[in-house]
């Protein structure tokens, strides 16, 4: 790995977390010696990168530090390419178009030497479009999530029973051939999963869930961790 790439990777590692990262952890991830990490950290500080810390304790990057937004490595570019290929075959029309647009934008601004990683990547998603059999507009589902709005949902269970519920949607999950909404269900007073292909009708309500942005998701994440702990996974 070139030194410039190594310095960039160290910054990326420090940007991931607000907690101190030890030289040993950095060295293990980028596969160099701790002595090399110490030298690289010293070089970065000398270049004005706001890193604080010391050997044996760990290093922290000032959260206010920013880099040019598209300082991408080949691995990062190929990760984006793979992700956009997957979305293009499994997302709705809006997300498919967005995936294609984002690749075009990245290709227009990255250095010429990196463009082959978009044109001829070493990775690829399985070709062939998977079209979900949904009767509802996933754009509306995403809007409800972004705006923190409640959703009125007419839903058919796997046994064919139809119910109407008010839910607080949190995230729209994508599987190989199905999609589902994770939401707080007012009827069950618990978190539930609802497959979009079993949704008969939806209505985004004016009412919001009344929580601060991010609170509902954090509650769900705590619930999910508790479920995993109980199941032993």
């Amino acid at each position: 790995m070139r030194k410039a790439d190594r310095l960039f990777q160290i910054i990326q590692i420090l940007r991931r977390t607000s907690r101190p990262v030890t030289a040993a952890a950095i060295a293990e991830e980028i596969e160099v010696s701790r002595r090399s990490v110490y030298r690289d950290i010293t070089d970065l500080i000398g270049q004005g990168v706001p890193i604080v810390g010391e050997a044996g304790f760990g290093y922290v990057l000032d959260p206010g530090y920013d880099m040019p937004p598209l300082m991408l490595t080949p691995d990062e570019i190929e990760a984006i390419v793979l992700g956009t290929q997957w979305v293009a075959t499994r997302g709705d029309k809006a997300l498919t178009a967005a995936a294609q647009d984002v690749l075009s934008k990245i290709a227009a601004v990255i250095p010429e030497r990196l463009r082959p990683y978009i044109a001829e990547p070493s990775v690829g998603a399985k070709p062939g479009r998977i079209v979900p059999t949904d009767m509802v507009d996933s754009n509306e589902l995403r809007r409800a999530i972004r705006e923190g709005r409640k959703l009125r949902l007419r839903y058919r269970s796997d046994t064919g029973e139809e119910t109407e519920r008010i839910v607080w949607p949190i995230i729209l999950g994508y599987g190989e051939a199905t999609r589902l909404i994770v939401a707080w269900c007012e009827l069950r007073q618990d978190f539930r999963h609802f497959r979009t292909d079993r949704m008969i009708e939806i209505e985004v309500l004016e009412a919001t869930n009344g929580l601060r942005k991010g609170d509902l998701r954090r509650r769900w994440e705590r619930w999910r961790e508790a479920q995993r702990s109980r199941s032993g996974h």
Side-chain angles (χ1 to χ4, degrees), residues 65-82:
Y65 177 72
D66 199 11
M67 292 188 301
L70 283 174
M71 288 283 289
L72 301 176
T73 67
D75 282 346
E76 289 169 339
I77 291 173
E78 291 195 330
I80 294 168
V81 170
L82 185 61

Side-chain angles (χ1 to χ4, degrees), residues 29-225:
E29 179 162 344
I30 63 177
E31 298 180 342
V32 297
S33 68
R34 277 183 287 181
R35 182 172 296 178
S36 294
V37 172
Y38 295 142
R39 286 199 300 265
D40 290 343
I41 292 287
T42 299
D43 288 345
L44 286 169
I45 293 172
Q47 294 172 26
V49 178
I51 297 172
V52 296
E54 59 186 27
F57 170 72
Y59 299 96
V60 176
L61 180 66
D62 188 307
Y65 177 72
D66 199 11
M67 292 188 301
L70 283 174
M71 288 283 289
L72 301 176
T73 67
D75 282 346
E76 289 169 339
I77 291 173
E78 291 195 330
I80 294 168
V81 170
L82 185 61
T84 54
Q85 289 176 350
W86 194 94
V87 170
T89 61
R90 292 164 178 83
D92 53 49
K93 289 182 180 179
L95 284 184
T96 296
Q100 294 166 344
D101 288 347
V102 76
L103 270 189
S104 297
K105 290 178 180 178
I106 290 171
V109 297
I110 60 175
E112 183 69 32
R113 66 181 178 83
L114 294 176
R115 289 176 187 166
Y117 294 101
I118 291 180
E120 300 174 353
S122 64
V123 296
K126 183 179 179 181
R129 182 157 178 77
I130 299 173
V131 182
T133 56
D134 294 350
M135 293 185 290
V136 297
D137 185 353
S138 58
N139 289 325
E140 286 293 280
L141 294 174
R142 292 200 303 274
R143 180 170 76 88
I145 294 168
R146 290 168 180 162
E147 297 178 2
R149 298 193 180 278
K150 295 184 180 183
L151 195 67
R152 178 178 285 114
L153 180 67
R154 193 151 64 91
Y155 191 76
R156 181 182 294 112
S157 70
D158 55 352
T159 61
E161 178 188 4
E162 291 188 13
T163 58
E164 185 172 295
R165 305 163 184 239
I166 303 295
V167 302
W168 307 359
I170 303 164
I171 189 170
L172 175 59
Y174 285 73
E176 280 299 310
T178 59
R179 297 180 288 205
L180 59 82
I181 282 281
V182 179
W184 173 263
C185 177
E186 290 189 356
L187 177 66
R188 302 300 183 190
Q189 288 294 293
D190 204 353
F191 292 103
R192 289 288 188 269
H193 295 168
F194 300 95
R195 282 177 45 164
T196 57
D197 58 346
R198 293 177 181 165
M199 295 179 183
I200 303 167
E201 187 179 7
I202 64 169
E203 179 188 358
V204 180
L205 304 179
E206 288 299 316
T208 67
N209 59 38
L211 301 174
R212 290 185 301 177
K213 189 172 181 61
D215 276 359
L216 183 60
R217 189 183 184 105
R218 285 188 286 272
R219 293 182 187 185
W220 166 63
E221 288 171 347
R222 290 194 294 268
W223 174 87
R224 183 179 58 178
E225 288 303 313

